[in-house]
């Protein structure tokens, strides 16, 4: 069935927010991803927010087993997945109960009524059926016997068991939403043909259910019309939609190609960082070597060994793994070798909230090692610029011969957004410190006068034999030294080397206002929420609010104090209990720095930020 010719005249919307929810086995992530990809192909600007349970297979129908995927599409600039949703697709009672609060009054809810059995209602802790008791009267509810209609559509398809038939109901829901928002099914059908090319019965089944849902929505009188969201005006170029973890992996691939060094990843799988390992493992043809280690310590120490041998070496983890890597990270700092540690933060402490977002590893990253152990710290801020900051992390670690920790978080790592494809030839040069033959009177700790980076002497190079290890070294010979003055000198020179990175990073800039009553400060993955909120209230006439976002955490940009002093009030917004605010207070104690914190495993909502900022400028 072709669905590309639309005869009706859809209502034009500027933006729309849709959330798909159901059991973790209902395919909500796939459904949301397909709608996102199709909208990206159409030319919309997009932001997504996958939200899934920590359990591998939570009990079916349970409240804590709900998996969701939210997508915000627009013909205008989209910076966040949004707050309140215009359409909620709930595949079961638990999905409805846990997400009803997010639906705008008067807007649409689609439910699979087949799932609203007595047993499922009890699992969702409903005392009565919300479809019958009037509790949904403030919403436009579209009741669909989705499971039954799916089974009816597939009754003549051979080679399918009952489980496969039932699992196809997510495509019925997707077909309905495609009609409602004037999307073609062509991209998703092409996806079926590629994914299931060895299983033609699954191609037939999913295509049939998708089209059945599409035409069901077209003929359903409860949906009076469809909507459309025009393509966004974006900088010309070739785009694709990309997840943050994928962008991180690709940034390292680009850096490897640019600097001419093989890429090595030593990693132990941990949520939500594992997708970087999965992605890089696909690219052996680019000379990538991936090693899935037996534990976090083996992951980082293998990377240190690869770096010593002349590779661009990285290791990936999340908060609990970073704690385990601490001693080895101190070793890499001590021997002054290039190494990138990617920490995709999640809710903590301990195991915490493995699939939820948080920014609570900042102080651990800065100070969580024994001794004086400074490292460069960067933070990506959007799914797409994970590419840029992975590349930047590789560039800084190679050029300055010291470890870099790149902070991401579950929100941007699993989220996706349009990304303009870049050419490696257009990326900044990466200049390594490798020496290929011995110089006269060479010493292991000869340093670049500008950066203080030491030479990178590859093992096996005649005349460049030297010792490395965790014991303190003599400032010239590199031999073990316990001389007090030498130790103090080496501690200070390693710290000064980090501070000189300020000369290689951009200065801090502000958006919306260069001076005024309030400066909103964020770092890392809070960028989209803060940027869109300040933009919104500026459009309401609040013209004295500025916004500054930090991607460079250690060292801080050297004009930071100059920016701070131009505003009467400063508020730092972060998904922790005030860790970056503490860093700023420690470095700039002349300023009254306020805090706005959230620690719920969720990103900031625009409305809560609007209320806070307006309160501060009254």
């Amino acid at each position: 069935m072709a669905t590309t010719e639309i005869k009706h005249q859809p209502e034009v919307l500027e933006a729309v927010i849709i959330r798909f929810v159901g059991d973790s086995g209902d395919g909500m992530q796939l459904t949301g991803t397909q709608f996102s990809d199709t909208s990206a192909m159409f030319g919309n600007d997009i932001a997504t927010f996958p939200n899934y349970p920590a359990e591998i297979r939570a009990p079916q129908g349970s409240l804590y087993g709900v998996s969701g995927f939210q997508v915000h599409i627009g013909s205008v600039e989209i910076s966040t997945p949004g707050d309140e949703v215009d359409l909620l697709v709930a595949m079961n009672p638990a999905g409805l109960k846990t997400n009803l609060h997010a639906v705008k009054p008067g807007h649409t809810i689609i439910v699979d009524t087949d799932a609203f059995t007595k047993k499922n209602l009890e699992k969702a802790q409903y005392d009565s059926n919300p479809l019958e008791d009037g509790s949904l009267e403030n919403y436009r509810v579209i009741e669909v016997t989705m499971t039954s209609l799916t089974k009816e559509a597939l009754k003549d398809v051979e080679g399918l068991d009952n489980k496969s038939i039932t699992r196809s109901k997510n495509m019925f829901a997707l077909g309905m939403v495609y009609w409602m928002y004037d999307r073609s099914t062509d991209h998703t059908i092409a996806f079926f043909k590629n994914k299931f090319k060895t299983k033609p019965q699954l191609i037939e089944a999913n295509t049939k259910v998708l089209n059945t849902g599409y035409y069901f929505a077209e003929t359903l009188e409860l949906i009076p019309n469809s909507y459309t969201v025009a393509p966004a005006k974006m900088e010309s170029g070739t785009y694709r939609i990309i997840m943050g973890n994928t962008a991180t992996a690709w940034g390292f691939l680009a850096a490897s190609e640019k600097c001419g060094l093989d890429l090595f990843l030593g990693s132990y799988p941990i949520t939500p960082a594992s997708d970087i390992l999965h992605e890089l493992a696909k690219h052996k043809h680019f000379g990538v070597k991936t090693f899935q280690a037996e534990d976090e310590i083996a992951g980082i120490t293998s990377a240190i060994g690869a770096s010593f041998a002349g590779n661009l070496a990285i290791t990936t983890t999340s908060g609990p793994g970073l704690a385990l890597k601490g001693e080895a990270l101190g070793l890499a700092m001590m021997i002054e070798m290039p190494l990138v540690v990617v920490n995709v933060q999640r809710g903590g402490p301990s195991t915490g909230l493995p699939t939820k977002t948080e920014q609570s590893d900042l102080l651990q990253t800065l100070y969580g090692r024994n001794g004086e152990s400074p490292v460069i710290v960067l933070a990506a801020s959007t799914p797409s610029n994970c590419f840029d900051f992975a590349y930047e992390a590789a560039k800084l670690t190679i050029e300055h011969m010291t470890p870099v920790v790149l902070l991401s978080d579950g929100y941007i790592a699993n989220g996706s957004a349009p990304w303009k494809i870049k050419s490696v030839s257009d990326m900044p040069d990466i200049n390594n410190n490798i020496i290929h033959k011995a110089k006269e009177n060479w010493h292991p700790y000869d340093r670049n006068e500008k950066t203080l980076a030491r030479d990178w002497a590859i093992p096996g190079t005649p005349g460049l034999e030297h010792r490395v290890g965790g014991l303190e070294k003599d400032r010239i010979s590199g031999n073990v030294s316990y001389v007090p003055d030498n130790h103090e000198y080496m501690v200070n020179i390693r710290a000064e080397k980090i501070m000189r990175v300020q000369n290689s990073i951009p200065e801090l800039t502000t958006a919306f206002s260069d001076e005024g009553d309030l400066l909103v400060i964020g770092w890392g993955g809070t960028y989209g929420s803060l940027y869109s909120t300040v933009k919104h209230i500026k459009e309401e006439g609040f013209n004295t609010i500025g916004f500054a976002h930090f991607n460079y955490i250690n060292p801080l940009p050297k004009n930071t104090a100059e920016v701070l002093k131009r505003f009467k009030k400063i508020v730092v917004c972060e998904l922790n209990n005030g860790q970056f605010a503490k860093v700023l207070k420690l470095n700039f104690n002349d300023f009254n720095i306020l805090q706005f914190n959230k620690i719920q495993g969720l990103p900031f909502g625009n409305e809560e930020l609007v209320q806070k900022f307006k309160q501060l400028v009254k």
Side-chain angles (χ1 to χ4, degrees):
M1 297 181 183
T3 62
T4 53
E5 295 184 7
I6 310 293
K7 295 181 179 180
H8 60 274
Q9 293 298 318
E11 179 183 341
V12 178
L13 301 176
E14 191 175 73
V16 67
I17 302 170
I18 302 167
R19 184 182 295 181
F20 301 91
V21 294
D23 269 324
S24 55
D26 284 339
M28 295 297 94
Q29 303 303 317
L30 175 63
T31 305
T33 299
Q34 283 300 305
F35 186 84
S36 302
D37 289 352
T38 296
S39 297
M41 295 285 288
F42 185 71
N44 296 133
D45 199 2
I46 290 174
T48 69
F49 179 44
N51 192 5
Y52 45 87
E55 289 75 15
I56 294 174
R57 182 66 71 188
Q60 192 172 21
S62 63
L63 293 174
Y64 61 89
V66 173
S67 175
F69 190 104
Q70 183 163 312
V71 55
H72 188 183
I73 64 172
S75 59
V76 294
E77 181 183 29
I78 301 297
S79 301
T80 75
D83 292 351
E84 296 183 312
V85 302
D86 300 290
L87 171 65
L88 175 68
V89 179
M91 304 300 284
N92 63 6
L96 177 64
K97 185 164 189 176
T98 54
N99 291 276
L100 181 62
H101 68 278
V103 185
K104 298 174 185 175
H107 285 251
T108 306
I109 302 171
I110 298 175
V111 295
D112 178 9
T113 55
D114 289 331
F116 281 69
T117 63
K118 181 179 179 181
K119 183 178 180 180
N120 283 344
L121 289 168
E122 289 175 352
K123 288 181 179 179
Q125 301 176 18
Y126 274 117
D127 296 325
S128 59
N129 191 336
L131 304 181
E132 300 172 352
D133 63 12
S135 59
L136 301 179
E137 62 183 11
N138 290 332
Y139 308 96
R140 185 171 68 172
V141 180
I142 300 174
E143 300 183 17
V144 184
T145 55
M146 212 173 294
T147 303
S148 299
L149 290 167
T150 298
K151 291 179 178 179
E152 178 66 22
L154 298 180
K155 63 182 181 181
D156 297 327
V157 178
E158 298 181 356
L160 296 176
D161 56 24
N162 186 61
K163 183 178 180 182
S164 298
I165 291 171
T166 304
R167 288 179 65 182
S168 300
K169 65 184 178 182
N170 63 326
M171 290 300 107
F172 191 100
L174 181 60
M176 289 187 67
V177 178
Y178 275 162
W179 183 86
M180 289 179 67
Y181 292 99
D182 198 25
R183 311 281 101 160
S184 167
T185 62
D186 293 348
H187 174 80
T188 298
I189 293 172
F191 168 80
F192 296 153
K193 291 177 179 177
N194 181 62
K195 183 176 179 62
F196 304 120
K197 51 190 170 187
T198 61
K199 299 177 180 178
Q201 74 275 18
L202 293 182
I203 298 174
E204 180 185 0
N206 282 283
T207 301
K208 196 166 188 178
V209 175
L210 181 73
N211 285 329
T212 300
Y214 184 97
Y215 286 113
F216 178 83
E218 185 179 39
T219 58
L220 190 66
E221 293 182 358
L222 289 173
I223 305 178
N225 61 288
S226 66
Y227 308 92
T228 189
V229 180
K233 294 180 180 179
M234 304 173 77
E235 182 183 348
S236 62
T238 303
Y239 287 80
R240 62 153 289 161
I241 191 166
I242 196 167
M243 289 179 60
N245 275 339
T246 303
T248 299
W250 288 13
F252 289 124
L253 287 171
S256 173
E257 178 72 16
K258 190 71 173 184
C259 69
L261 302 176
D262 286 345
L263 178 62
F264 177 91
L265 168 63
S267 183
Y268 179 75
I270 184 171
T271 302
S274 299
D275 283 341
I276 302 172
L277 171 62
H278 300 159
E279 181 62 30
L280 288 176
K282 300 175 185 176
H283 299 292
K284 294 179 182 178
H285 54 288
F286 287 136
V288 179
K289 294 182 279 288
T290 53
F291 169 54
Q292 181 174 319
E294 67 268 28
D295 56 39
E296 294 283 359
I297 298 171
I300 187 171
T301 52
S302 67
I304 293 171
S307 175
F308 185 55
N311 292 265
L312 169 54
I314 64 176
T315 185
T316 54
T317 192
S318 189
L322 184 65
L324 293 168
K325 293 181 188 292
E327 182 181 2
L329 180 54
L331 170 64
M333 186 281 310
M334 188 72 162
I335 64 178
E336 301 186 49
M337 294 301 301
L339 175 71
V340 179
V341 180
V342 181
N343 177 15
V344 185
Q345 299 168 96
R346 70 190 206 187
S350 187
T351 307
L353 306 172
T355 62
K356 309 302 180 184
T357 196
E358 207 162 276
Q359 293 182 297
S360 52
D361 292 342
L362 179 60
L363 294 181
Q364 179 188 194
T365 302
L366 290 169
Y367 308 118
R369 294 168 296 284
N370 65 299
E372 300 291 340
S373 184
V375 296
I376 300 170
V377 180
L378 309 180
S381 50
T382 68
S384 56
N385 81 14
C386 284
F387 175 92
D388 301 305
F389 283 99
Y391 187 95
E392 178 77 343
K395 177 178 169 64
L396 290 177
T397 197
I398 288 173
E399 293 186 344
H400 293 268
M401 293 294 289
T402 195
V404 175
V405 179
L406 172 61
L407 295 174
S408 177
D409 59 62
Y411 175 51
I412 60 174
N414 294 319
S416 56
W419 173 66
K420 184 179 178 181
I421 296 174
K422 301 182 179 184
S423 171
V424 172
S425 61
D426 296 330
M427 303 296 289
D429 289 336
I430 300 177
N431 302 306
N432 65 58
N433 292 278
I434 294 176
I435 54 174
H436 299 281
K437 62 180 181 178
K439 299 177 285 187
E440 186 176 354
N441 295 321
W442 177 81
H443 301 101
Y445 285 92
D446 290 344
R447 298 181 182 276
N448 181 296
E449 291 183 2
K450 181 180 178 182
T451 65
L452 298 180
R454 77 175 186 92
D455 291 337
W456 193 355
I458 307 302
T461 308
L464 300 182
E465 297 85 357
H466 64 288
R467 299 180 64 171
V468 294
L471 292 172
E472 185 65 276
K473 302 300 186 295
D474 182 81
R475 71 181 75 178
I476 297 174
S477 69
N479 294 326
V480 174
S481 172
Y482 294 98
V483 176
D485 288 347
N486 178 79
H487 175 55
E488 185 169 339
Y489 172 86
M490 292 296 279
V491 166
N492 290 334
I493 204 75
R494 289 189 290 262
E496 176 62 22
K497 182 167 68 167
I498 300 298
M499 291 308 298
R500 290 198 185 185
V501 174
Q502 286 186 325
N503 299 322
S504 303
I505 63 176
E507 292 192 340
L508 182 66
T509 60
T510 59
F512 306 111
S513 180
D514 292 330
E515 59 183 4
D517 294 322
L518 177 65
L519 177 64
V520 175
I521 288 178
W523 68 274
T526 58
Y527 172 83
S529 301
L530 299 177
Y531 178 88
S532 60
T533 301
V534 177
K535 179 182 178 182
H536 170 75
I537 60 178
K538 181 177 175 60
E539 290 169 352
E540 290 187 355
F542 291 83
N543 295 316
T544 60
I545 299 180
F547 172 52
H549 202 78
F550 286 80
N551 296 107
Y552 297 88
I553 308 297
N554 192 41
L556 294 165
K558 55 186 175 182
N559 69 323
T560 300
E562 178 186 334
V563 171
L564 298 182
K565 70 182 182 182
R566 298 201 296 259
F567 292 85
K568 296 176 183 177
K569 291 182 181 179
I570 300 165
V571 60
V572 180
C573 306
E574 47 189 331
L575 302 178
N576 58 46
N577 221 8
Q579 295 187 20
F580 189 57
K582 288 182 175 68
V583 172
L584 291 179
K585 291 173 184 178
L586 182 66
N587 287 277
F588 309 104
N589 56 17
D590 293 336
F591 301 99
N592 180 24
I593 295 174
L594 307 173
Q595 298 175 206
F596 186 55
N597 307 114
K598 182 176 182 178
I599 322 170
Q600 300 175 12
L602 296 169
F604 282 118
N606 286 72
E607 188 56 38
E608 62 188 337
L609 292 171
V610 166
Q611 292 178 7
K612 181 64 177 180
F613 298 162
K614 287 183 177 180
Q615 174 190 338
L616 289 173
V617 294
K618 281 183 179 179

